[in-house]
Amino acid sequence: MEAKLDDDEKVEAANQVKKIAEAAQNPDDVGLTTKAKRAVRFLETIANGLEPASKLVHACQNGLPLILGLLG
């Protein structure tokens, strides 16, 4: 059975994605970059709790390293 995110987790994940987007728009802001790195770790933790076949896990495995590379 595949694990699913509850509504609170979905909201929190969306907030974390917003932090990453903010940092991507302001790459010179060290504070935003730090928040984005924490957001990436949070999303990785959520993704690891889901069934490996989940689309979120796949997206995180491929996308989050690219985002971290952009943030430095």
Side-chain angles (χ1 to χ4, degrees):
M1 180 177 230
E2 183 174 335
K4 299 197 185 246
L5 297 177
D6 65 26
D7 289 340
D8 289 338
E9 291 170 322
K10 289 176 185 177
V11 169
E12 186 58 32
N15 287 335
Q16 299 304 317
V17 170
K18 288 178 188 176
K19 290 178 185 179
I20 294 168
E22 265 187 77
Q25 293 174 351
N26 301 290
D28 295 330
D29 187 323
V30 176
L32 289 177
T33 301
T34 300
K35 287 180 183 180
K37 288 179 182 179
R38 282 189 215 130
V40 168
R41 287 192 299 273
F42 176 83
L43 292 172
E44 286 175 330
T45 300
I46 287 178
N48 287 334
L50 299 174
E51 179 69 29
S54 168
K55 290 180 182 179
L56 178 60
V57 172
H58 180 69
C60 288
Q61 288 173 339
N62 293 318
L64 294 177
L66 295 173
I67 293 168
L68 284 175
L70 292 172
L71 295 173

